[in-house]
Amino acid sequence: MDMTTDYRELDRRFYMPVFSRDTMIVRGRGARVWDDTGKEYIDCVAGIAVCSTGHCHPEVVQAICDQAHDLIHCSNLYYIPHQGELAARLAGITGLSRVFLTNSGAEATEGALKLARVVTGRKKFVAFEHGFHGRTMGALAVTHKPAIREPFMPLEPTCTFLRYGDLEGLRKNVTRETAAVVVEPIQGEAGVIVPPEGFLEGVRERCDDTGALMVVDEVQSGMGRTGKWLAIQHEKVTPDVVLLAKGLASGFPIGALVTAEEYQFRKSEHGSTFGGGPLACAAALATIRVIEQLLPGVPGKGERFRNGLSRYQPRVKGLMIGISVGERCPQIQKSCAEAGVLINCAAEGNLRLVPPLVISYAEIDRAVEALHASLG
Ligand SMILES: *Cc1c(COP(=O)(O)O)cnc(C)c1O
């Protein structure tokens, strides 16, 4: 950082104004970050559930640096160091068989939509109200929020949106013409919404009955966030396709499409220049090693938040936490930031906390205290 450059002014003049922001974060370690004035924050945003190993975890930094010295990029025309190793790890973690690596969550969704069409020969999709699967054209077509999809209509493929939890709707709308049902096991962008008991089993059953693929979007809920590798592993359900991204490589861009053995792209049906490059694979493998150590501690940390915040009736799944606060959400976000705690507002007046899995009990207590002061 060069202290004489006005980065904010350059941003305002040259960057597209799609984000609303004022704080500039310049450094991070563990569950803490610092802004350009030197102010310290406990980070319960963690790059939106991305920096699960904490900021700049030494094992991840080491893996990226080591790989950068050997090879940064070479193309998927060749075998890529660590790509097969990462695929094997992801198969093990998910209980599935085949992997395709992308650069983002949206691209993982795109891959799933293409795959569902090519393996079923069907055209239609079913997804859920308040669901979020990414902002590229295909991913947007299965993303519900009217404000972000309607300006870009018409969107292909055609998708029917059902109420999250609507088993009756599944029976009517998932048919032998449905290529796939795309579902989050916990809706993250909607504000950490947990489905009713039996709903995900219901999706599985209806997919089995009709031959539609069950695509489970674990981009936000996966990679240890809820105390298991996948949120769907809290249920007795095995999906056909799992989507991963956010927490997969500690902030190095990557996404993954993981499938059962019978659902694979054949030669030339899909591809990517950057997807699964050497640096991304090295970062992801180091991340998985670190998360493996952190996983047993996640439920206890979630309970610490639950107990501390009990009077606000939080929805807690490991370290994925939502609190309904209504219109006050932006104000609470602001006053927590002033008190040195970063949290953010997901949809519909829901505060969302998705801190790094390395957060300590003392840091949790400080975050809880700031929330109490702001929530009243
Ligand atoms: C963030 C998110 C995506 C999109 O990921 P990008 O990397 O931003 O494209 C997709 N699905 C879910 C559930 C997400 O939370």
Side-chain angles (χ1 to χ4, degrees):
M1 271 250 317
D2 162 9
M3 297 312 273
T4 62
T5 304
D6 189 343
Y7 294 104
R8 279 189 181 74
E9 184 52 25
L10 291 174
D11 194 283
R12 280 183 211 119
R13 282 189 53 194
F14 294 107
Y15 204 79
M16 295 204 190
V18 296
F19 305 106
S20 55
R21 50 193 178 194
D22 63 295
T23 308
M24 185 182 316
I25 302 297
V26 298
R27 201 162 70 82
R29 278 293 176 284
R32 317 263 177 115
V33 293
W34 290 266
D35 71 12
D36 55 339
T37 69
K39 183 176 162 76
E40 181 184 281
Y41 303 86
I42 294 173
D43 185 8
C44 293
V45 176
I48 312 186
V50 167
C51 310
S52 292
T53 58
H55 294 278
C56 304
H57 191 286
E59 263 189 68
V60 176
V61 172
Q62 190 67 50
I64 292 171
C65 291
D66 288 351
Q67 185 57 50
H69 283 292
D70 286 343
L71 183 69
I72 292 176
H73 182 75
C74 64
S75 164
N76 281 307
L77 291 170
Y78 310 98
Y79 284 113
I80 287 192
H82 304 306
Q83 200 179 75
E85 190 185 357
L86 176 58
R89 284 294 258 147
L90 293 178
I93 283 169
T94 58
L96 296 171
S97 303
R98 289 281 167 173
V99 175
F100 182 84
L101 296 169
T102 69
N103 305 289
S104 67
E107 270 182 76
T109 305
E110 295 290 335
L113 300 178
K114 281 181 68 178
L115 181 73
R117 279 217 169 148
V118 82
V119 302
T120 65
R122 304 174 182 182
K123 299 207 166 18
K124 295 181 180 170
F125 291 88
V126 169
F128 296 92
E129 292 175 4
H130 306 293
F132 184 86
H133 305 289
R135 288 171 179 270
T136 53
M137 291 294 256
L140 200 53
V142 295
T143 288
H144 172 250
K145 196 175 181 181
I148 68 172
R149 52 183 269 118
E150 279 173 1
F152 305 99
M153 304 273 266
L155 290 165
E156 169 61 16
T158 31
C159 180
T160 304
F161 294 100
L162 304 177
R163 196 169 41 74
Y164 194 50
D166 181 6
L167 286 172
E168 192 49 42
L170 282 171
R171 274 187 285 278
K172 287 203 191 103
N173 293 282
V174 180
T175 68
R176 295 194 173 278
E177 292 184 355
T178 308
V181 178
V182 185
V183 63
E184 290 166 271
I186 299 171
Q187 290 186 324
E189 292 309 292
V192 190
I193 308 299
V194 181
E197 191 120 6
F199 172 62
L200 295 162
E201 283 92 336
V203 174
R204 177 70 276 177
E205 257 172 53
R206 193 60 194 152
C207 287
D208 286 339
D209 290 348
T210 56
L213 268 57
M214 181 176 183
V215 176
V216 173
D217 183 345
E218 295 262 4
V219 166
Q220 190 161 154
S221 57
M223 297 312 293
R225 172 64 41 200
T226 68
K228 291 187 188 273
W229 284 111
L230 304 179
I232 195 77
Q233 290 168 342
H234 294 281
E235 319 286 328
K236 290 185 206 66
V237 171
T238 306
D240 301 307
V241 178
V242 165
L243 311 180
L244 297 169
K246 289 191 166 91
L248 179 49
S250 301
F252 201 96
I254 191 170
L257 175 66
V258 191
T259 72
E261 186 68 18
E262 56 269 44
Y263 305 118
Q264 300 183 31
F265 285 120
R266 287 162 301 183
K267 198 175 288 296
S268 307
E269 280 179 346
H270 203 43
S272 174
T273 297
F274 292 117
L279 283 175
C281 291
L285 281 165
T287 297
I288 290 168
R289 286 195 296 274
V290 174
I291 292 177
E292 205 160 39
Q293 306 296 312
L294 296 171
L295 215 40
V298 173
K301 291 176 182 181
E303 286 314 300
R304 189 83 169 189
F305 271 111
R306 189 198 298 281
N307 294 334
L309 298 169
S310 59
R311 87 164 78 137
Y312 311 110
Q313 298 170 319
R315 298 177 293 280
V316 179
K317 277 280 186 181
L319 286 172
M320 192 167 180
I321 299 154
I323 309 171
S324 300
V325 296
E327 286 168 5
R328 294 187 301 154
C329 212
Q331 186 48 45
I332 292 163
Q333 175 180 322
K334 191 157 173 275
S335 69
C336 282
E338 279 160 15
V341 176
L342 298 181
I343 52 171
N344 95 314
C345 296
E348 319 273 328
N350 286 306
L351 282 177
R352 170 179 47 190
L353 286 79
V354 281
L357 310 184
V358 296
I359 194 168
S360 68
Y361 280 68
E363 286 165 334
I364 292 172
D365 294 346
R366 270 180 54 193
V368 165
E369 205 178 296
L371 275 159
H372 276 291
S374 305
L375 280 156

Short mmCIF file of all heavy atoms in Angstrom, two decimals, residues 48-50 103-109 131-136 139 143 183-189 217-221 243-246 254-255 320 352, ligand 1:
data_model
loop_
_atom_site.label_atom_id
_atom_site.label_comp_id
_atom_site.label_asym_id
_atom_site.label_seq_id
_atom_site.Cartn_x
_atom_site.Cartn_y
_atom_site.Cartn_z
N ILE A 48 -17.50 -13.13 3.24
CA ILE A 48 -18.75 -13.89 3.06
C ILE A 48 -18.46 -15.39 3.04
O ILE A 48 -18.52 -16.05 1.98
CB ILE A 48 -19.56 -13.44 1.83
CG1 ILE A 48 -19.69 -11.89 1.84
CG2 ILE A 48 -20.95 -14.09 1.85
CD1 ILE A 48 -20.58 -11.32 0.77
N ALA A 49 -18.13 -15.91 4.19
CA ALA A 49 -17.94 -17.36 4.39
C ALA A 49 -16.81 -17.94 3.53
O ALA A 49 -16.82 -19.12 3.20
CB ALA A 49 -19.25 -18.11 4.12
N VAL A 50 -15.85 -17.09 3.17
CA VAL A 50 -14.74 -17.54 2.32
C VAL A 50 -13.49 -17.88 3.17
O VAL A 50 -12.90 -18.95 3.01
CB VAL A 50 -14.39 -16.46 1.26
CG1 VAL A 50 -13.06 -16.77 0.59
CG2 VAL A 50 -15.51 -16.37 0.23
N ASN A 103 -13.76 -21.42 -11.31
CA ASN A 103 -13.14 -20.26 -10.64
C ASN A 103 -14.07 -19.56 -9.68
O ASN A 103 -13.67 -18.59 -9.04
CB ASN A 103 -12.68 -19.25 -11.68
CG ASN A 103 -11.77 -19.88 -12.69
OD1 ASN A 103 -10.64 -20.23 -12.37
ND2 ASN A 103 -12.26 -20.08 -13.89
N SER A 104 -15.32 -20.00 -9.59
CA SER A 104 -16.29 -19.30 -8.75
C SER A 104 -17.49 -20.20 -8.50
O SER A 104 -17.64 -21.25 -9.15
CB SER A 104 -16.76 -18.02 -9.45
OG SER A 104 -17.52 -18.37 -10.60
N GLY A 105 -18.35 -19.73 -7.61
CA GLY A 105 -19.59 -20.45 -7.32
C GLY A 105 -20.54 -20.42 -8.52
O GLY A 105 -21.13 -21.44 -8.88
N ALA A 106 -20.67 -19.25 -9.14
CA ALA A 106 -21.58 -19.13 -10.28
C ALA A 106 -21.18 -20.10 -11.39
O ALA A 106 -22.03 -20.73 -12.01
CB ALA A 106 -21.57 -17.69 -10.81
N GLU A 107 -19.89 -20.22 -11.61
CA GLU A 107 -19.42 -21.15 -12.66
C GLU A 107 -19.68 -22.60 -12.29
O GLU A 107 -19.88 -23.44 -13.17
CB GLU A 107 -17.92 -20.99 -12.84
CG GLU A 107 -17.50 -19.99 -13.85
CD GLU A 107 -16.00 -19.99 -13.96
OE1 GLU A 107 -15.43 -20.91 -14.55
OE2 GLU A 107 -15.39 -19.06 -13.38
N ALA A 108 -19.67 -22.91 -11.01
CA ALA A 108 -20.02 -24.27 -10.59
C ALA A 108 -21.50 -24.52 -10.90
O ALA A 108 -21.88 -25.58 -11.41
CB ALA A 108 -19.73 -24.46 -9.10
N THR A 109 -22.36 -23.50 -10.63
CA THR A 109 -23.78 -23.63 -10.97
C THR A 109 -23.95 -23.82 -12.48
O THR A 109 -24.70 -24.70 -12.93
CB THR A 109 -24.57 -22.38 -10.52
OG1 THR A 109 -24.35 -22.17 -9.13
CG2 THR A 109 -26.05 -22.54 -10.79
N GLY A 131 -33.65 -18.33 -2.96
CA GLY A 131 -32.40 -19.05 -3.21
C GLY A 131 -31.43 -18.18 -4.00
O GLY A 131 -31.83 -17.27 -4.72
N PHE A 132 -30.15 -18.46 -3.84
CA PHE A 132 -29.10 -17.72 -4.57
C PHE A 132 -28.08 -18.70 -5.11
O PHE A 132 -27.55 -19.53 -4.37
CB PHE A 132 -28.41 -16.71 -3.66
CG PHE A 132 -27.40 -15.86 -4.38
CD1 PHE A 132 -27.79 -14.70 -5.03
CD2 PHE A 132 -26.06 -16.22 -4.43
CE1 PHE A 132 -26.87 -13.92 -5.72
CE2 PHE A 132 -25.14 -15.45 -5.12
CZ PHE A 132 -25.53 -14.29 -5.76
N HIS A 133 -27.81 -18.60 -6.43
CA HIS A 133 -26.87 -19.54 -7.04
C HIS A 133 -25.84 -18.86 -7.93
O HIS A 133 -25.07 -19.55 -8.60
CB HIS A 133 -27.64 -20.61 -7.82
CG HIS A 133 -28.65 -21.32 -6.97
ND1 HIS A 133 -28.29 -22.22 -5.97
CD2 HIS A 133 -30.01 -21.22 -6.90
CE1 HIS A 133 -29.39 -22.66 -5.37
NE2 HIS A 133 -30.43 -22.06 -5.90
N GLY A 134 -25.80 -17.53 -7.93
CA GLY A 134 -24.78 -16.81 -8.70
C GLY A 134 -25.39 -15.85 -9.70
O GLY A 134 -26.60 -15.84 -9.93
N ARG A 135 -24.54 -15.03 -10.32
CA ARG A 135 -25.03 -13.89 -11.12
C ARG A 135 -24.70 -13.98 -12.61
O ARG A 135 -24.94 -13.02 -13.34
CB ARG A 135 -24.43 -12.60 -10.56
CG ARG A 135 -25.03 -12.20 -9.23
CD ARG A 135 -24.24 -11.03 -8.66
NE ARG A 135 -24.75 -10.55 -7.40
CZ ARG A 135 -25.68 -9.58 -7.27
NH1 ARG A 135 -26.20 -9.03 -8.34
NH2 ARG A 135 -26.06 -9.19 -6.08
N THR A 136 -24.11 -15.08 -13.07
CA THR A 136 -23.97 -15.23 -14.52
C THR A 136 -25.34 -15.60 -15.07
O THR A 136 -26.24 -15.97 -14.31
CB THR A 136 -22.93 -16.31 -14.85
OG1 THR A 136 -23.29 -17.51 -14.15
CG2 THR A 136 -21.53 -15.89 -14.42
N ALA A 139 -26.82 -19.12 -14.02
CA ALA A 139 -26.99 -19.18 -12.56
C ALA A 139 -28.09 -18.22 -12.12
O ALA A 139 -28.87 -18.53 -11.21
CB ALA A 139 -25.67 -18.84 -11.86
N THR A 143 -31.72 -18.33 -9.86
CA THR A 143 -31.67 -17.48 -8.67
C THR A 143 -32.96 -16.69 -8.60
O THR A 143 -33.39 -16.11 -9.59
CB THR A 143 -30.44 -16.55 -8.74
OG1 THR A 143 -29.27 -17.34 -8.54
CG2 THR A 143 -30.49 -15.45 -7.69
N VAL A 183 -30.91 -26.76 -5.08
CA VAL A 183 -31.35 -26.39 -3.73
C VAL A 183 -30.17 -26.13 -2.80
O VAL A 183 -29.16 -26.83 -2.85
CB VAL A 183 -32.28 -27.50 -3.15
CG1 VAL A 183 -31.56 -28.82 -2.98
CG2 VAL A 183 -32.92 -27.07 -1.83
N GLU A 184 -30.28 -25.10 -1.98
CA GLU A 184 -29.31 -24.88 -0.89
C GLU A 184 -29.80 -25.65 0.34
O GLU A 184 -30.97 -25.55 0.69
CB GLU A 184 -29.24 -23.40 -0.52
CG GLU A 184 -28.60 -22.50 -1.55
CD GLU A 184 -28.89 -21.04 -1.24
OE1 GLU A 184 -29.92 -20.52 -1.72
OE2 GLU A 184 -28.10 -20.41 -0.53
N PRO A 185 -28.92 -26.37 1.04
CA PRO A 185 -29.35 -27.08 2.25
C PRO A 185 -29.68 -26.12 3.40
O PRO A 185 -30.47 -26.45 4.28
CB PRO A 185 -28.15 -27.95 2.60
CG PRO A 185 -26.99 -27.34 1.90
CD PRO A 185 -27.52 -26.61 0.70
N ILE A 186 -29.06 -24.93 3.35
CA ILE A 186 -29.42 -23.80 4.21
C ILE A 186 -29.30 -22.58 3.31
O ILE A 186 -28.28 -22.44 2.63
CB ILE A 186 -28.42 -23.62 5.38
CG1 ILE A 186 -28.40 -24.86 6.26
CG2 ILE A 186 -28.73 -22.38 6.19
CD1 ILE A 186 -27.27 -24.85 7.30
N GLN A 187 -30.31 -21.73 3.25
CA GLN A 187 -30.21 -20.58 2.36
C GLN A 187 -29.37 -19.48 2.99
O GLN A 187 -29.76 -18.88 3.99
CB GLN A 187 -31.61 -20.05 2.01
CG GLN A 187 -32.39 -21.01 1.12
CD GLN A 187 -33.71 -20.43 0.66
OE1 GLN A 187 -34.37 -19.71 1.42
NE2 GLN A 187 -34.09 -20.72 -0.57
N GLY A 188 -28.22 -19.22 2.37
CA GLY A 188 -27.26 -18.26 2.94
C GLY A 188 -27.61 -16.81 2.66
O GLY A 188 -27.81 -16.02 3.58
N GLU A 189 -27.68 -16.45 1.38
CA GLU A 189 -27.95 -15.05 1.02
C GLU A 189 -29.32 -14.60 1.54
O GLU A 189 -29.53 -13.42 1.82
CB GLU A 189 -27.88 -14.85 -0.50
CG GLU A 189 -26.49 -15.02 -1.09
CD GLU A 189 -25.44 -14.18 -0.39
OE1 GLU A 189 -25.49 -12.96 -0.49
OE2 GLU A 189 -24.58 -14.78 0.27
N ASP A 217 -26.45 -26.96 -3.63
CA ASP A 217 -25.52 -25.83 -3.68
C ASP A 217 -24.95 -25.60 -2.27
O ASP A 217 -25.61 -25.03 -1.41
CB ASP A 217 -26.26 -24.59 -4.18
CG ASP A 217 -25.33 -23.39 -4.34
OD1 ASP A 217 -24.21 -23.42 -3.79
OD2 ASP A 217 -25.74 -22.41 -4.98
N GLU A 218 -23.72 -26.06 -2.10
CA GLU A 218 -23.02 -25.92 -0.81
C GLU A 218 -21.94 -24.84 -0.90
O GLU A 218 -20.97 -24.85 -0.14
CB GLU A 218 -22.36 -27.25 -0.41
CG GLU A 218 -23.35 -28.37 -0.13
CD GLU A 218 -23.63 -28.57 1.36
OE1 GLU A 218 -23.11 -27.78 2.19
OE2 GLU A 218 -24.36 -29.53 1.69
N VAL A 219 -22.11 -23.92 -1.86
CA VAL A 219 -21.09 -22.88 -2.06
C VAL A 219 -20.82 -22.13 -0.75
O VAL A 219 -19.68 -21.84 -0.41
CB VAL A 219 -21.51 -21.93 -3.21
CG1 VAL A 219 -20.66 -20.66 -3.21
CG2 VAL A 219 -21.40 -22.65 -4.55
N GLN A 220 -21.90 -21.83 -0.02
CA GLN A 220 -21.75 -21.07 1.23
C GLN A 220 -21.73 -21.98 2.47
O GLN A 220 -20.97 -21.75 3.41
CB GLN A 220 -22.88 -20.05 1.36
CG GLN A 220 -22.70 -19.08 2.47
CD GLN A 220 -23.56 -17.82 2.32
OE1 GLN A 220 -23.89 -17.18 3.29
NE2 GLN A 220 -23.90 -17.44 1.11
N SER A 221 -22.53 -23.03 2.45
CA SER A 221 -22.72 -23.86 3.64
C SER A 221 -21.69 -24.99 3.75
O SER A 221 -21.58 -25.62 4.80
CB SER A 221 -24.12 -24.49 3.61
OG SER A 221 -24.31 -25.23 2.41
N LEU A 243 -22.20 -28.48 -5.28
CA LEU A 243 -21.46 -27.30 -5.72
C LEU A 243 -20.70 -26.71 -4.54
O LEU A 243 -21.27 -26.52 -3.47
CB LEU A 243 -22.42 -26.24 -6.27
CG LEU A 243 -23.45 -26.72 -7.29
CD1 LEU A 243 -24.33 -25.56 -7.75
CD2 LEU A 243 -22.75 -27.36 -8.48
N LEU A 244 -19.42 -26.44 -4.75
CA LEU A 244 -18.59 -25.85 -3.71
C LEU A 244 -17.91 -24.61 -4.28
O LEU A 244 -17.72 -24.49 -5.48
CB LEU A 244 -17.50 -26.84 -3.26
CG LEU A 244 -17.98 -28.13 -2.61
CD1 LEU A 244 -16.81 -29.10 -2.49
CD2 LEU A 244 -18.58 -27.85 -1.23
N ALA A 245 -17.52 -23.69 -3.41
CA ALA A 245 -16.68 -22.57 -3.84
C ALA A 245 -16.17 -21.82 -2.61
O ALA A 245 -15.07 -22.10 -2.14
CB ALA A 245 -17.40 -21.63 -4.79
N LYS A 246 -16.96 -20.92 -2.07
CA LYS A 246 -16.49 -19.91 -1.13
C LYS A 246 -15.36 -20.37 -0.18
O LYS A 246 -14.26 -19.85 -0.24
CB LYS A 246 -17.67 -19.37 -0.32
CG LYS A 246 -18.59 -18.50 -1.18
CD LYS A 246 -19.60 -17.75 -0.36
CE LYS A 246 -20.27 -16.65 -1.16
NZ LYS A 246 -21.51 -17.03 -1.86
N ILE A 254 -11.76 -20.27 -6.55
CA ILE A 254 -11.95 -21.65 -7.00
C ILE A 254 -13.41 -22.04 -6.77
O ILE A 254 -14.07 -21.48 -5.90
CB ILE A 254 -11.01 -22.63 -6.25
CG1 ILE A 254 -11.01 -24.02 -6.92
CG2 ILE A 254 -11.41 -22.74 -4.78
CD1 ILE A 254 -9.95 -24.97 -6.39
N GLY A 255 -13.89 -22.96 -7.55
CA GLY A 255 -15.20 -23.56 -7.33
C GLY A 255 -15.11 -25.01 -7.77
O GLY A 255 -14.15 -25.39 -8.44
N MET A 320 -22.58 -20.75 10.98
CA MET A 320 -23.44 -20.07 10.01
C MET A 320 -24.65 -19.61 10.80
O MET A 320 -25.46 -20.43 11.25
CB MET A 320 -23.83 -21.05 8.91
CG MET A 320 -24.46 -20.44 7.69
SD MET A 320 -24.51 -21.65 6.35
CE MET A 320 -25.29 -20.66 5.08
N ARG A 352 -26.30 -11.66 9.22
CA ARG A 352 -25.61 -12.93 8.98
C ARG A 352 -24.21 -12.87 9.59
O ARG A 352 -23.48 -11.90 9.39
CB ARG A 352 -25.51 -13.20 7.49
CG ARG A 352 -24.59 -14.39 7.17
CD ARG A 352 -24.52 -14.69 5.70
NE ARG A 352 -24.30 -13.48 4.93
CZ ARG A 352 -24.38 -13.44 3.60
NH1 ARG A 352 -24.67 -14.52 2.92
NH2 ARG A 352 -24.16 -12.31 2.96
C1 LIG B 1 -21.96 -16.93 -3.20
C2 LIG B 1 -22.85 -18.00 -3.68
C3 LIG B 1 -22.85 -18.38 -5.03
C4 LIG B 1 -22.08 -17.64 -6.08
O1 LIG B 1 -20.71 -17.70 -5.92
P1 LIG B 1 -19.75 -16.66 -6.69
O2 LIG B 1 -18.38 -17.17 -6.39
O3 LIG B 1 -20.03 -15.30 -6.12
O4 LIG B 1 -20.09 -16.73 -8.12
C5 LIG B 1 -23.65 -19.45 -5.40
N1 LIG B 1 -24.39 -20.12 -4.49
C6 LIG B 1 -24.40 -19.78 -3.19
C7 LIG B 1 -25.23 -20.58 -2.22
C8 LIG B 1 -23.64 -18.70 -2.73
O5 LIG B 1 -23.67 -18.35 -1.44
#
